[in-house]
Structure formats: structure tokens, C-alpha cells
Amino acid sequence: MEYDVLVVGAGAAGLMTAIVAGGRGRRVLVVDHANRAGKKILMSGGGRCNFTNTATTPANFLSANPHFCKSALARYTPWDFIAMVDRHRIAWHEKSPGQLFCDESSKQIVRMLLDECAAAGVRVETNCPVTRLRASAGGFSGETPLGHVRAASLVVATGGLSIPSLGASGFGYDLARQFGHAVLPLRAGLVPLTLSGKHQERFEGLSGVALPVEARANGAAFRDAMLITHRGVSGPAILQVSSYWEPGTDLRVDLLPGADAGETLRSARAERPAAELKTILSGLLPRRLAERLCEVWIPNRPMRQYRDAELNDIGAQLADWPIVASGTEGYRTAEVTLGGVDTDEVSSSTMMSRRQPGLYFVGEVLDVTGHLGGYNFQWAWASGNAAGLAV
Ligand SMILES: Cc1cc2nc3c(=O)[nH]c(=O)nc-3n(C[C@H](O)[C@H](O)[C@H](O)COP(=O)(O)OP(=O)(O)OC[C@H]3O[C@@H](n4cnc5c(N)ncnc54)[C@H](O)[C@@H]3O)c2cc1C
């Protein structure tokens, strides 16, 4: 079988590449080893797919080369994708500022992408692993259950390692290495953090407690909700900061973000001098957490017994609370994989390899990882569009 373009991976980036390339008249075959296309899209956004973020900027992405994503993002904006969603009459809403979700179901996004593929004459084959991929005269060749395939361009759209049960594999990284590309160290991102030993014991029984915090690690800060879990901490603020945290680095949370905690405690003392600190803190934080803080860390006395300096100290502690995480929950629950194919050897305008003409990398397999909130799909659409225009 002869094609112009062979796309490996029928996920977000692979399908977008195929739609754009097919629309340009290229003969495109998309193969995926999973039993259906777009499995991560189906799971995403709690089944409603947070398909883009209208506030997308290059600053929302982690990469060893922060400039790499700029060109593709500028040429395919959230509004380009929204236009496609609108053309297919898929109703959507803005959940939190910038984050767009389907009103009904992520299935509509997969349906839309497959309909666009069909309209562009793209062939999409699932349950279709490809082996023995190699460069051959004028392109690439490989073996599939459909038979021997040859194509002038090969697009690697195999995504990251997160959630192996959804079809994730290291195939794209292996392929990159096969063609001489460096793969930067991989680790789970947008992932809950685990606590162990005494650090876990101190939070025991608090599972389910959620509160707004500002979580900080390695120079990044995210203000959003934190959730205490059976195994550690999660919630959007922790997921976001997990992409910046590494074992051994400092992780701090401000438990009263936006407030001067010392000042708040001093006014509470003036108003309710006989009340105990834990009662006052229970008005500012979830009660179970406030009680635990006073059992384990902060001495609990009637407010009138604290001097200004002590209340300021307690306020400073609450604003810079250390969380001693032992690790992450790993790829089993991570939304993304940090690291990946080194962008130094890939063209930022076409996504083509600088080592092997005709070889392209799109989406999460590249060392470009978005924050939580629709940015990862926007990268998949934008990088897919860039490659689709070039293949
Ligand atoms: C639970 C969950 C929820 C998420 N929610 C959101 C969200 O709401 N918004 C957002 O922006 N991002 C979200 N993400 C991240 C987002 O899904 C990914 O960043 C995005 O799908 C990456 O697109 P991709 O095309 O590069 O990879 P994928 O969409 O993962 O597609 C890769 C495809 O390659 C196939 N493949 C892998 N190995 C092989 C192989 N050896 N042979 C053939 N095919 C192969 C896979 O089966 C898969 O279909 C979520 C991720 C998870 C895990």
C-alpha cells in the first residue's frame, strides 16, 4: 500500500495532522494499536473534554526550549479550533476563565475529528499496530495487519506514557531514538503527589478535605484548590505544581492565599479574645484541617494569650506551609508526560526532524507539556496543524 503520509497514533495530534494533510490532497493513512481512536480525548475533562484554553500563550508550556512552541501556537489559535467545533454544532461552555468544555460529551470531539478525516479522504485504522518501521527509498515503510505500507512522510503522534490502559506506549520515543533523536528525561506531570511515613500520618483521616491554596515549587506558583487524598495531595493547584516539582525539591502551600494571615489573626484576637486559636482557624480553613494543625503543629491557646509576634509567626507558617512529598502517583494517573523528543532537532515551523527528512513529531511525544486547563489539547491541535501543512 502506498500513501503520501503515514501517521502513527490516532489521538488528538495525529488526527489533526491527518485532517490538515488530507485537506491538502495528501493520501493519508492513520494507524493506531488501540481499539478506538482518541481514547484520551474520550476520557478527558471528566468526559466533557476541556478542548482548548482561550488564554493560551507560550508561557503555559514547559519545555527545555520555551521558544519552540511559539510558531505553531501562533498559526493555529484556540479560535481556529473553536471555529471547527462551531461548524460541527457542538455546544460548549467556559467552565473557569479560558477553559472550554463540551456541554454534552467528549465523544462529540472524537466524532468531529473522524468526520473531518472522512471528509478529507483520510483512512483511519484502529487495532492496527505497525512494526519494522524504517527509512526506505523515498520515504518510510512498515508492516501492519493490513500489509506492507510505504509512505513519503512518517508522522509520529504516539503521545506520552500516561495511562497505559488507554493505549499509551513508549513507541514514539523508541522510534525517535532509532532515527538518532535525543529524548529528554521523561516523568509524570499533572499528577497527584504522595506522602509517606510521618508526613502521611499527620494528614491521616483528612482525606476529602479541600481548600483554596497557592502551591509553589521551583519558581512556579498556582492558586487553585488542593485536595487531601488517602495517599497524599491532589486537586488542580497540586496537579499544576507537580509538573515543576521533583523529588527533593521544596513544595510550599499558602493555606490562606490572598490574605495577610498575621493581620487576620490579630483582628480575630481583638474581636474574640477568649476563643481558642483552633476555633478561629476553623473559620478560615476546613475545620478538620484547622483542628489537626493545632493538634500537631501549632500550640492551641485562647487568642488573648498570643503576642503579636506569635500571631505573625503563625500567619507566616500558614502562608508558607511545607508539604514533604515522597513522590508522585506516576503514569497510572498522570495527565501528561514531561520531557520527550528534544525540540532542538525538530523544526518549530513544520515539526519535521532535522535528522531525517520526511519524519515528523507532533503532540505530547515532543518535549512540550502544557499546564492544566486545555493547553495540552491546544498544543496537539497546533502542532498537528503545523505538520499537516508541511507533509
Ligand atoms: C485522563 C486524562 C485527561 C486529560 N484531560 C485533558 C483535558 O481536558 N484537556 C487537555 O488539554 N488535555 C487533557 N489531557 C492531556 C491530553 O489528553 C494529551 O496531552 C493529548 O491527548 C496529547 O495528544 P497526542 O495526540 O499527542 O497523544 P494521544 O492523544 O495520547 O494519542 C496518542 C495515540 O497514539 C496511540 N499509540 C501509542 N502507541 C502506539 C503504537 N505503538 N502504535 C500505534 N499507536 C500507538 C495511542 O493509542 C493514542 O491513540 C488529559 C490526559 C489524561 C490522561
Side-chain angles (χ1 to χ4, degrees), residues 12 18 24 27 31 33 36 46 56 60 91 107 109 116 118 132 144 214 228 243 250 260 337 351 375:
R24 291 171 51 235
R27 291 168 306 152
V31 295
H33 66 170
R36 59 194 295 191
T56 301
N60 299 113
K107 285 183 195 156
I109 299 293
E116 289 275 333
R132 312 232 306 266
T144 73
E214 182 175 281
I228 300 175
S243 295
D250 208 24
D260 176 337
T337 302
M351 305 295 134
Y375 303 104

Side-chain angles (χ1 to χ4, degrees), residues 8-14 31-34 36-41 43-46 49-52 101 128-130 157-160 162-163 166-171 334-336 362-365 373-378 380:
V8 185
V31 295
D32 201 299
H33 66 170
R36 59 194 295 191
K39 278 187 149 182
K40 266 190 201 166
I41 303 175
M43 278 278 288
S44 67
C49 187
N50 177 196
F51 54 80
T52 193
F101 287 75
C128 192
V130 56
T158 45
S162 29
I163 326 236
L166 293 181
S169 81
F171 186 75
E335 278 202 15
V336 288
V362 291
E364 200 180 315
V365 74
Y375 303 104
N376 284 295
F377 280 137
Q378 188 54 35

Side-chain angles (χ1 to χ4, degrees), residues 100-252:
L100 306 193
F101 287 75
C102 297
D103 284 358
E104 284 173 32
S105 164
S106 327
K107 285 183 195 156
Q108 295 172 292
I109 299 293
V110 176
R111 187 70 265 151
M112 172 187 83
L113 295 169
L114 291 176
D115 286 350
E116 289 275 333
C117 279
V122 171
R123 180 174 179 188
V124 180
E125 292 288 342
T126 50
N127 286 316
C128 192
V130 56
T131 53
R132 312 232 306 266
L133 263 175
R134 57 193 170 82
S136 58
F140 300 85
S141 66
E143 304 304 325
T144 73
L146 310 168
H148 184 73
V149 182
R150 280 182 39 78
S153 302
L154 171 63
V155 181
V156 182
T158 45
L161 295 174
S162 29
I163 326 236
S165 58
L166 293 181
S169 81
F171 186 75
Y173 305 118
D174 295 341
L175 209 55
R177 290 189 195 100
Q178 177 189 326
F179 286 105
H181 278 266
V183 175
L184 299 180
L186 305 170
R187 65 191 169 85
L190 301 182
V191 64
L193 299 177
T194 52
L195 305 175
S196 57
K198 66 174 192 230
H199 302 293
Q200 188 186 22
E201 282 158 26
R202 285 169 173 173
F203 279 111
E204 213 151 85
L206 295 183
S207 165
V209 168
L211 69 160
V213 300
E214 182 175 281
R216 300 187 283 253
N218 268 329
F222 295 94
R223 200 178 278 195
D224 212 320
M226 174 174 90
L227 170 72
I228 300 175
T229 68
H230 287 292
R231 294 158 53 86
V233 281
S234 185
I238 295 297
L239 297 181
Q240 294 278 32
V241 90
S242 73
S243 295
Y244 291 83
W245 178 85
E246 283 181 80
T249 55
D250 208 24
L251 169 62
R252 304 261 165 174

Side-chain angles (χ1 to χ4, degrees), residues 201-206 287-298:
E201 282 158 26
R202 285 169 173 173
F203 279 111
E204 213 151 85
L206 295 183
R287 185 182 48 79
R288 284 197 285 155
L289 175 63
E291 288 174 356
R292 183 64 54 86
L293 293 178
C294 291
E295 277 158 31
V296 180
W297 288 282
I298 306 173

Side-chain angles (χ1 to χ4, degrees), residues 38 53 95 127 138 182 190 217 255 277 283 291 311 352 354 376:
N53 193 307
K95 198 169 167 192
N127 286 316
L190 301 182
L255 296 170
L277 176 66
E291 288 174 356
L311 291 181
M352 191 172 84
R354 294 192 202 282
N376 284 295

